[in-house]
Each structure stands twice: as C-alpha cells, then as structure tokens.
Amino acid sequence: LKAALSILRGADPVGVHAGNASVTGFLQAPTSPAPDATALLETDQISAIVARCIDVIAEDAASVPLRLFDVSGKMPREILDHPAIELMRHINPIDTSTVYMTQIYADLLSEGNHFSFLDRDSTGTPINMIRLPPEEVEVIPHPTRIVGGYEWKPAGASRSEVYAREQIMHPHTRNPASPYRGMGKLVRLRDQILIDRHMRSWRLNQFKNGIPTSMVFKINRGFADEAAWERFRHETWDRLRGVQNAGKPMFIRAGDVEVITIPRPTDEELAFYE
C-alpha cells in the first residue's frame, strides 16, 4: 500500500503521510468527532464543576486583548486599520469579540477543536465568523494538502454541507493520534467521566436499594431428564428461602455443586461510590 501511494503521488512524504493516516482512520477515526462526544458534552452541560473549570480558563484567555503589530521596520508599529482588526471588532451580528473568543477556547478545552465558517465579502475578505459545533464537523483528508475540506452535518439533519478548506478556520490542540483533529481535556478524561456517569445512573442506585448477598450454584453433575433438574432446582430454592424450611441445612455431595458467594458491598465501598 505504501509503495502504491508513493508511485501515485510521487515521493511527496506529505501525501504518503496523509494516505497512511486515512488508512489508520478505519481504526481510530482521526477525522471524525469522538464517538462519545455527545456524552462528553452532556457532562459539560450537567456538571457545574466541569463547566465552571472550562468557563474560568476560557473567559480568562478571551479577556486578553489582541493587538496587531507591523515589525518590518526598526520599531514595532501597531496597526489599527486591518481586516483582521475589523473582524475582531465585529465577529458576527449576535456575538461580541469576548463572547466569541470564549467559545473558541471552550471548544478547544472540551473537544480539542474549534470550527468557524468564514463569511466573506465580494473581495474575499472575512466579515463574519460563525461557530460550527465541533461534534458536528468532520475533516476531509487530502493526499497532498492534508486537509481537503470540511463536512458539517447539524444534529438531527438528514443532509450535510461540504465546505472548502479556505472557508473554515480550524484551530485545534495537540493530538498524538491524528494530524486532523485536536484532543481536548474532556476527551482525555473520557474514561473517568463515563465511569462516573454510569456509577451515578446505575451502580449507586443498586447499592442504595440494597443488593442482597447472593450465591451462584455451579452444578457439576448431570440429570436424567428435565423433570429431575426442575425437582433439584425447586428443592434447592425451597431450602434456601422457605419459612417452614428456615435454618434447614442443605447436604450436597463433594464435587457435585460449586458454590460462589457474592457478598453485599461494605460500608467503605458504599462511601467510596457515594
């Protein structure tokens, strides 16, 4: 496969790298959002602690004023009239610069990627930036330019929109597994977050309701027919549960039955899960 890619694309190492990355994408999907991105975003939405941590960092970073300087001369000279400065003064009709920059940093912290659609005028100058949710955007690989474009599919939509590389601004964080997408802090905390969600929604409720001590009987001997098995099963259950047979011992032959006891959680375990 590498030889074929080299022949088709010449000796361009960027093309070979992009081809290899697209092949490994079948295993790690480096161009697509994390498969559990929705669960991670739900954690950001419902967890006051997670949301506050992201907000504090994003708001602090967004509050730093951005200035543009011309350093071609002997002394740096601040530029006050430039398309980039004008764009920062007017991001779009509804967002201020600080609010929009906060969204950028929050996307980078949580998902590791930020996607902005650049609305351009007739001269090609960006006049608006519109945020695209990172969990709805996929990167389209290119054999020599690495990124060939972006595909946006809004949540619940049946169709997607494809944009050229020049139409999307895509800052992203470091990701050792992919040249196409970044990796946010929430993604890096995936296991702990998902375990915590499952513990809250399922395991803790079970413990609170009181899981009884249980025994698993592994039957090693055979039975003549189904009726004999049912008889054994009912007699065992009656001896363990019945009021009349309460305290009655149950005798089994060595090697016939293997009993595994599953104890109830201790107070320390319950406190840990809480």
Side-chain angles (χ1 to χ4, degrees):
L1 179 61
K2 291 183 178 179
L5 289 172
S6 298
I7 294 173
L8 291 175
R9 299 168 186 160
D12 186 359
V14 176
V16 174
H17 172 74
N20 294 340
S22 64
V23 172
T24 58
F26 287 103
L27 302 177
Q28 61 190 24
T31 64
S32 305
D36 51 358
T38 301
L40 297 178
L41 291 175
E42 287 177 357
T43 299
D44 182 8
Q45 294 169 3
I46 67 176
S47 174
I49 296 176
V50 173
R52 182 58 181 159
C53 290
I54 292 176
D55 287 344
V56 167
I57 300 174
E59 290 169 0
D60 286 350
S63 65
V64 177
L66 299 180
R67 302 165 65 186
L68 187 64
F69 289 87
D70 179 4
V71 295
S72 59
K74 293 183 179 180
M75 295 293 294
R77 180 178 62 85
E78 184 176 1
I79 301 175
L80 301 177
D81 185 14
H82 189 276
I85 298 297
E86 293 299 323
L87 182 60
M88 291 306 300
R89 289 173 181 167
H90 176 80
I91 295 290
N92 59 50
I94 63 173
D95 291 319
T96 65
S97 176
T98 301
V99 169
Y100 199 84
M101 293 300 296
T102 301
Q103 296 181 43
I104 292 179
Y105 288 116
D107 283 345
L108 294 177
L109 286 168
S110 58
E111 214 270 344
N113 298 269
H114 173 81
F115 299 93
S116 282
F117 172 75
L118 301 178
D119 181 25
R120 302 174 184 268
D121 61 14
S122 58
T123 65
T125 303
I127 56 175
N128 288 302
M129 288 198 301
I130 296 92
R131 174 182 177 267
L132 303 180
E135 71 276 11
E136 299 176 358
V137 181
E138 294 192 13
V139 181
I140 301 174
H142 191 275
T144 58
R145 297 190 300 169
I146 301 181
V147 175
Y150 298 89
E151 182 178 3
W152 173 48
K153 185 176 182 180
S158 58
R159 297 179 57 187
S160 61
E161 297 285 344
V162 176
Y163 299 106
R165 183 180 60 170
E166 296 77 12
Q167 293 178 281
I168 301 294
M169 183 185 74
H170 176 205
H172 57 84
T173 58
R174 181 179 67 89
N175 185 353
S178 170
Y180 302 109
R181 297 185 71 93
M183 182 180 291
K185 294 188 180 298
L186 281 185
V187 177
R188 294 179 186 273
L189 290 170
R190 170 185 291 111
D191 292 342
Q192 292 92 326
I193 289 173
L194 295 183
I195 287 175
D196 179 70
R197 293 177 76 245
H198 286 296
M199 297 287 265
R200 289 200 310 265
S201 63
W202 178 71
R203 188 69 66 85
L204 183 57
N205 287 333
Q206 280 198 329
F207 289 146
K208 285 183 176 179
N209 292 333
I211 298 179
T213 301
S214 59
M215 288 181 290
V216 177
F217 289 81
K218 181 180 179 182
I219 311 303
N220 299 319
R221 63 173 174 169
F223 296 90
D225 50 32
E226 188 68 20
W229 160 246
E230 287 296 327
R231 210 166 35 248
F232 172 83
R233 202 164 64 86
H234 284 294
E235 288 177 358
T236 303
W237 175 237
D238 287 339
R239 292 185 181 185
L240 290 174
R241 68 163 184 176
V243 176
Q244 295 179 353
N245 293 312
K248 183 178 180 180
M250 178 179 175
F251 298 97
I252 58 177
R253 291 179 295 178
D256 280 353
V257 179
E258 179 182 351
V259 181
I260 303 172
T261 303
I262 303 176
R264 294 187 60 173
T266 64
D267 292 339
E268 290 78 8
E269 289 172 331
L270 287 174
F272 168 78
Y273 287 119
E274 288 275 15

